């Protein structure tokens, strides 16, 4: 949902030419990108805080053991996963500039195209399929029941590998956004 919100926010800047007016009023192009990155960070932080509060409330209500931060690293992984998804949404928004097309591409890629690619790569090339952009976050946050039923550790890399690729994909998306905004004609 946050990805769709970001796509709409950014593409509206292009549709209503708000970005052009901001540049005319004295903003630099970098400031435009920084403003969008603030949205990315705010939305990712909101998701992180909501997930943390949900975990705290659920743990307080349903737990029989005292408070523990044992699995807190998964909240950090979740934050990075949301940050990657929002960076990807920002990249699509800046490159496509049309809300309808960007939403269709975003949903098509996240729900179908990448999942199909992951399935095919894992089937024919092994664990390389887990290194596709959005799948790296999914690999860091496995479903607990699947891990108990199937030994999936044999067909996956170490968490540090997925973490490295996740951070690299975030950096690449932000670099491409800067490159597009700084080089393109408004």
């Amino acid at each position: 949902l946050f990805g769709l919100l970001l796509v709409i926010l950014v593409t509206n800047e292009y549709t209503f030419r708000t970005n052009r007016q901001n540049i005319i009023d004295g903003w630099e192009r970098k400031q435009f990108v920084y403003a969008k990155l603030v949205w990315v960070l705010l939305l990712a932080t909101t998701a992180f805080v909501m997930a943390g509060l949900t975990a705290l409330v659920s743990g307080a209500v349903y737990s029989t053991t005292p408070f523990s931060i044992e699995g807190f690293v998964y909240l950090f992984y979740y934050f990075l996963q949301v940050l990657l998804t929002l960076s990807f949404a920002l990249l699509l928004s800046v490159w496509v500039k049309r809300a309808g097309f960007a939403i269709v591409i975003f949903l098509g890629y996240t729900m179908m195209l990448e999942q199909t690619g992951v399935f095919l790569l894992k089937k024919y090339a092994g664990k390389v399929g887990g290194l596709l952009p959005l799948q790296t976050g999914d690999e860091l946050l496995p479903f607990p029941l699947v891990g108990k039923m199937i030994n999936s550790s044999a067909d996956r890399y170490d968490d540090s590998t997925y973490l490295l690729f996740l951070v690299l994909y975030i950096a690449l998306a932000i670099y491409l956004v800067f490159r597009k905004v700084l080089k393109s004609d408004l």
Side-chain angles (χ1 to χ4, degrees):
L1 291 177
F2 286 142
L4 292 176
L5 175 65
L6 188 69
V7 167
I8 291 169
L9 286 171
V10 175
T11 55
N12 279 346
E13 295 266 347
Y14 287 101
T15 301
F16 299 115
R17 302 192 193 287
T18 313
N19 63 331
R20 184 181 295 178
Q21 187 61 43
N22 287 337
I23 303 283
I24 291 170
D25 290 342
W27 277 26
E28 294 180 15
R29 291 176 185 236
K30 285 182 183 179
Q31 289 175 316
F32 173 76
V33 177
Y34 291 146
K36 301 309 152 213
L37 290 177
V38 167
W39 271 110
V40 168
L41 285 174
L42 283 174
L43 290 172
T45 303
T46 301
F48 173 76
V49 168
M50 292 303 297
L53 289 175
T54 302
L56 283 174
V57 169
S58 297
V61 171
Y62 297 110
S63 178
T64 58
T65 59
F67 179 77
S68 171
I69 59 168
E70 180 181 331
F72 185 76
V73 69
Y74 291 111
L75 276 175
F76 176 68
Y77 290 163
Y78 175 69
F79 174 76
L80 289 176
Q81 182 182 29
V82 171
L83 198 62
L84 175 63
T85 303
L86 291 174
S87 298
F88 178 67
L90 178 64
L91 178 66
L92 274 177
S93 302
V94 168
W95 279 84
V96 176
K97 297 180 184 176
R98 303 281 308 261
F101 291 140
I103 288 171
V104 167
I105 292 170
F106 179 73
L107 290 176
Y109 181 79
T110 58
M111 294 184 163
M112 279 187 355
L113 190 61
E114 181 161 310
Q115 299 305 316
T116 305
V118 167
F119 173 75
L120 292 174
L121 280 173
K122 281 190 171 185
K123 184 175 182 179
Y124 296 111
K127 51 188 174 180
V128 174
L131 297 177
L132 289 179
L134 300 179
Q135 185 63 26
T136 56
D138 289 343
E139 294 288 338
L140 287 171
L141 296 169
F143 287 104
L145 293 177
V146 174
K148 291 179 182 177
M149 292 188 294
I150 302 169
N151 184 11
S152 60
S153 62
D155 61 342
R156 57 184 315 272
Y157 293 107
D158 187 44
D159 283 353
S160 60
T161 304
Y162 294 117
L163 196 57
L164 173 70
F165 273 87
L166 189 119
V167 171
L168 286 175
Y169 286 134
I170 291 171
L172 178 65
I174 292 171
Y175 169 75
L176 291 174
V177 167
F178 267 106
R179 184 176 167 94
K180 175 67 174 171
V181 170
L182 294 177
K183 302 280 184 188
S184 69
D185 185 27
L186 296 176

